[in-house]
Amino acid sequence: MIASDHVFELVDVTYTGHVEPGSFLQKLIGTQPTGIILHNITLELHTGELMAILGSTGSGKRSLLDVITCRAKGTTRGQVLLNDAPLRKEVFREQCAYIPKRADLLPGLTVKQTLEYSSQLTVSSKVSKSVRRNRVKEVMADLALNSVSNREISTLTSSEYKRTVIGVELVRDPVLLVLEDPTQNQDPLNAYFIMSILSNHVKKYHRMIILTLEKPRSDIFPFLDRVTYLCFGEIVYTGSTRLMMEYFANVGYPCPELENPLMYYLCLSTVDRQTRERFISSSCQIASLVEKFKNEGAQFRKYAHPPTEMTDHTATKYKLPLTAYGSPSSCQVLFALIRRSYASVLSCNSRSLREAFVRLLILPLFFSFLFLFYFPIDSYQHSFVTRNGLVFNCLTAVTFLSAAITAVGYAPHRNRYYQEARNDMYNGSLFILSQIMYSFILSGISIWASGSIIYFLARMRQDLIRWSKFCTVLWTVYIFTENFTMSLMVFIKNSYTSFVTSIYILLLQITLGSGTVRSLSSLPDMLYYLSYGIIYRYAGAFLNYNEFADHPQLDHAPYFNGSDRVSCPNNNNIPGRCLYLNGTHYLSQRYHINSSFYGNDLNFELNFIICFVFACGMWIANVVLYLLPVPLSIKEKFCN
């Protein structure tokens, strides 16, 4: 059978964009200096061809990729066509794929799992599971990944990692694949291997590939069907690699024997900046080459191999690319994201076991250590301060460790999200919902195990209802802290910086509003009313009330006089000895209870409900935050 011939074209494309990085303020308000970056670019690519875009730094390679992939933020004039139809962002997302120079895969997953979840995130549910599985197997075989299929991502070599990144996009079988320097940081053997794989892919499946190369080696020359040389945003040559040497020889620049033709003509297309005279001379030479190609290069640009007949050996059973069946539904994407997140923790490899340990056992282990300092909590006068200190330490420990666990564990998911969202695979609301659902069960197991350890082993108030509410309130604090830290990580890339920022803000809130460091009843009015917007006001009041109110063992608790146990008289307190008559009396010293002016700080049920309101409020705030458009300057931190 004859394969359908796909054609990609740029026709007189001129692109005006940012020519200088600009200051932070200029980036923020969008006033960076602009100018013409690409000028009258015309090129084409056919089915079964691989094109390399070559040029020195500043030649416009990256901007050309941005135009091709519909990511250019400036003004583009001219036509970008795929099969004679305008290549818009939606069309590129459906039929093409882009692989940047840097791509972060999710650690904890194996190579096979990474490709399988990529298939679920990009291939429509209209395609059967068996077809998707076979496609994953096919890609792994093509990319020589079968031998490392069960290896965890972080244990791969540079070449294996790069091939896996390529495989993530190939599982959806795009018509056009665009790559940014796939041979960067690869040794010569692996660079040759990757280029041979890409060349074989376009021939076997009748697809198209465009890639950039910084330092092309002579041994990859046979793999390049087309080459485009850029300088200052203009074309020095574009067309068949086989005819390139003939063209340059005709215009007076034959390639010397034993020279690498790719590098020789790359140097020829590069401005020499060593001296002013050389700069002027080389600039004039390049301007002459650009003008000559405009006048004489049409036949070389148009040259293409005719569609070839597919033999039984090379024929693929997919007559249409999998992208032709549309995109997966939102539900399919959501559940795939959730399953992928759990797989990164529950796989049987060292990285996922370490992640599981951090998420499930760090908090229980800390509470086990904490219990050593509080066991046993007796029923003497000094135990009022001890119990208050335990409540404070529980709130602080949950806050501190929740922020730390989130800063470390969430960062890889966040980085992968930014790169997948840049490819328009799914939106931020689906991602953050998947993270909420993923963390919900794991955090619940960790908190309830931790709360049970400290509650029963330290001999806090023994009551199953109060124990369950104690754990539940700590869980709301964990969820609030986790989502607060996640919201900071929308803007802050570094995990340590995110953790420190979160902790500074939250510890200030604990100190102000929890009632465990300073009593609410003694706060100045301004700070007291400010505490209404802090979750720790309600969590601290609830936990203290849960422990102290009507506690029978604290009623007229005795004190120690040296080593002697001395009882306290009824309805009387002795300064320095019998400070508190009972738990309710202690609470009245720290909170307003039925005050005519301040009201009641210890509304038990209301405080319990408000803790949930804060936790759910942070969920909603994160969903909204991830729906808002993020400035490009922030996105670039995670994608470049």
Side-chain angles (χ1 to χ4, degrees):
M1 63 180 179
I2 302 298
S4 59
D5 186 28
H6 299 288
V7 181
F8 172 78
E9 297 176 274
L10 266 68
V11 182
D12 293 329
V13 169
T14 297
Y15 171 61
T16 303
H18 300 309
V19 293
E20 294 179 13
S23 65
F24 174 78
L25 181 61
Q26 287 175 323
K27 289 181 180 180
L28 192 63
I29 62 179
T31 58
Q32 295 168 258
T34 60
I36 295 178
I37 299 176
L38 300 175
H39 184 66
N40 290 339
I41 302 295
T42 299
L43 56 82
E44 61 184 60
L45 185 67
H46 293 257
T47 287
E49 293 183 334
L50 187 154
M51 173 188 281
I53 300 174
L54 306 178
S56 60
T57 301
S59 61
K61 299 192 302 296
R62 180 66 180 273
S63 296
L64 182 55
L65 290 192
D66 287 341
V67 169
I68 293 171
T69 58
C70 306
R71 299 166 194 274
K73 299 301 180 182
T75 303
T76 303
R77 297 193 303 273
Q79 293 179 297
V80 182
L81 305 174
L82 179 63
N83 298 330
D84 294 326
L87 182 58
R88 305 189 187 282
K89 191 173 184 179
E90 298 75 16
V91 177
F92 186 89
R93 182 179 68 245
E94 292 172 0
Q95 301 188 39
C96 311
Y98 170 60
I99 300 176
K101 190 179 296 185
R102 173 198 157 193
D104 295 320
L105 300 177
L106 200 59
L109 298 178
T110 64
V111 171
K112 185 177 181 180
Q113 287 174 323
T114 299
L115 298 184
E116 287 175 342
Y117 284 113
S118 176
S119 174
Q120 294 175 29
L121 289 170
T122 57
V123 179
S124 171
S125 56
K126 296 176 183 177
V127 178
S128 67
K129 292 181 180 179
S130 61
V131 171
R132 290 203 299 264
R133 283 196 298 268
N134 289 336
R135 179 59 184 166
V136 169
K137 292 178 182 178
E138 200 169 44
V139 168
M140 290 180 63
D142 291 341
L143 295 174
L145 292 172
N146 282 330
S147 61
V148 295
S149 62
N150 294 317
R151 289 258 303 276
E152 193 266 323
I153 289 297
S154 62
T155 65
L156 300 178
T157 65
S158 175
S159 174
E160 292 164 349
Y161 190 93
K162 176 60 74 172
R163 281 181 275 139
T164 304
V165 169
I166 295 172
V168 165
E169 297 300 333
L170 289 187
V171 291
R172 55 190 292 261
D173 193 20
V175 170
L176 172 64
L177 178 65
V178 182
L179 303 97
E180 186 178 5
D181 199 359
T183 62
Q184 186 186 44
N185 301 326
Q186 302 294 321
D187 59 62
L189 181 60
N190 282 314
Y192 178 89
F193 188 34
I194 290 172
M195 292 300 298
S196 68
I197 287 173
L198 295 175
S199 177
N200 178 68
H201 172 78
V202 296
K203 304 296 187 297
K204 181 178 180 180
Y205 298 103
H206 279 240
R207 300 293 180 249
M208 300 178 289
I209 288 180
I210 297 175
L211 53 82
T212 60
L213 294 172
E214 294 293 334
K215 298 178 180 179
R217 295 173 53 85
S218 59
D219 56 358
I220 69 168
F221 185 91
F223 300 130
L224 303 181
D225 302 289
R226 289 177 181 265
V227 64
T228 297
Y229 285 99
L230 291 178
C231 185
F232 292 138
E234 295 192 277
I235 288 180
V236 176
Y237 174 83
T238 181
S240 169
T241 312
R242 295 181 182 181
L243 301 180
M244 175 184 69
M245 297 177 68
E246 176 187 336
Y247 165 77
F248 279 108
N250 289 340
V251 297
Y253 297 96
C255 180
E257 290 187 18
L258 304 180
E259 281 280 352
N260 173 5
L262 295 174
M263 280 300 297
Y264 179 78
Y265 291 120
L266 176 58
C267 293
L268 187 67
S269 307
T270 302
V271 174
D272 189 341
R273 301 176 185 272
Q274 292 186 12
T275 64
R276 184 174 182 273
E277 290 74 17
R278 288 188 177 186
F279 177 81
I280 294 173
S281 175
S282 60
S283 296
C284 292
Q285 175 183 290
I286 290 170
S288 174
L289 286 172
V290 170
E291 193 62 31
K292 284 182 179 180
F293 188 77
K294 286 180 181 178
N295 298 328
E296 305 174 22
Q299 59 177 323
F300 299 93
R301 177 175 57 80
K302 286 289 185 183
Y303 177 85
H305 299 291
T308 56
E309 186 171 326
M310 295 174 64
T311 65
D312 292 337
H313 177 69
T314 60
T316 175
K317 60 184 178 182
Y318 304 115
K319 294 183 176 64
L320 290 173
L322 297 184
T323 56
Y325 295 93
S327 302
S329 65
S330 296
C331 288
Q332 180 183 339
V333 170
L334 177 61
F335 287 115
L337 288 172
I338 295 171
R339 289 195 300 269
R340 186 176 71 173
S341 297
Y342 275 113
S344 69
V345 173
L346 302 178
S347 298
C348 295
N349 55 64
S350 59
R351 179 63 185 247
S352 61
L353 290 176
R354 187 163 65 248
E355 179 74 11
F357 173 81
V358 169
R359 286 202 168 264
L360 295 174
L361 297 179
I362 282 290
L363 202 56
L365 286 176
F366 183 83
F367 271 64
S368 299
F369 177 73
L370 188 64
F371 131 79
L372 297 176
F373 293 91
Y374 285 94
F375 172 82
I377 297 181
D378 51 35
S379 301
Y380 293 97
Q381 283 288 321
H382 59 259
S383 72
F384 286 94
V385 177
T386 302
R387 293 172 193 272
N388 177 74
L390 180 55
V391 169
F392 168 76
N393 281 321
C394 286
L395 287 173
T396 306
V398 168
T399 299
F400 191 95
L401 292 176
S402 174
I405 291 169
T406 304
V408 173
Y410 176 68
H413 296 269
R414 185 256 339 252
N415 294 345
R416 188 60 194 156
Y417 153 71
Y418 269 109
Q419 292 171 9
E420 290 177 334
R422 202 174 182 189
N423 292 333
D424 295 315
M425 291 171 59
Y426 51 85
N427 58 37
S429 60
L430 285 179
F431 167 70
I432 204 65
L433 282 173
S434 72
Q435 288 300 298
I436 289 170
M437 295 179 182
Y438 154 64
S439 175
F440 187 77
I441 295 177
L442 296 180
S443 62
I445 293 172
S446 178
I447 282 293
W448 282 73
S450 306
S452 300
I453 288 170
I454 200 68
Y455 198 89
F456 290 114
L457 296 185
R459 296 184 183 177
M460 296 179 72
R461 192 168 182 178
Q462 301 299 293
D463 182 291
L464 291 179
I465 301 297
R466 293 179 183 272
W467 158 74
S468 64
K469 291 184 175 180
F470 172 84
C471 294
T472 302
V473 169
L474 289 183
W475 195 8
T476 63
V477 172
Y478 185 103
I479 291 171
F480 177 86
T481 303
E482 177 184 52
N483 281 270
F484 180 77
T485 307
M486 286 164 61
S487 67
L488 292 177
M489 294 179 74
V490 174
F491 310 102
I492 304 174
K493 181 179 181 180
N494 185 271
S495 295
Y496 178 75
T497 305
S498 303
F499 165 69
V500 171
T501 304
S502 178
I503 283 301
Y504 267 119
I505 296 172
L506 295 176
L507 288 184
L508 183 63
Q509 294 184 26
I510 291 175
T511 304
L512 174 62
S514 67
T516 56
V517 179
R518 180 175 180 178
S519 64
L520 287 186
S521 59
S522 66
L523 283 178
D525 285 350
M526 183 184 70
L527 295 180
Y528 177 80
Y529 290 118
L530 184 62
S531 70
Y532 276 104
I534 299 173
I535 186 176
Y536 298 101
R537 170 196 174 95
Y538 308 98
F542 180 89
L543 294 178
N544 274 313
Y545 187 91
N546 193 59
E547 179 63 20
F548 287 104
D550 302 321
H551 194 318
Q553 295 179 3
L554 296 179
D555 193 18
H556 302 98
Y559 70 95
F560 276 112
N561 184 10
S563 60
D564 298 326
R565 179 177 183 275
V566 181
S567 298
C568 289
N570 292 337
N571 301 321
N572 190 16
N573 64 331
I574 303 173
R577 297 179 180 178
C578 298
L579 299 178
Y580 307 108
L581 303 178
N582 49 46
T584 303
H585 180 229
Y586 172 80
L587 292 174
S588 68
Q589 305 301 305
R590 307 196 69 82
Y591 298 95
H592 297 293
I593 301 178
N594 298 323
S595 168
S596 58
F597 184 77
Y598 295 102
N600 185 7
D601 294 332
L602 297 173
N603 191 317
F604 189 64
E605 299 300 333
L606 181 61
N607 288 339
F608 186 73
I609 293 171
I610 292 178
C611 288
F612 277 95
V613 170
F614 271 91
C616 294
M618 276 308 306
W619 279 343
I620 296 171
N622 258 339
V623 171
V624 173
L625 184 61
Y626 274 83
L627 281 175
L628 297 175
V630 178
L632 181 62
S633 59
I634 293 175
K635 283 185 178 180
E636 287 178 343
K637 292 194 301 184
F638 304 100
C639 300
N640 296 329

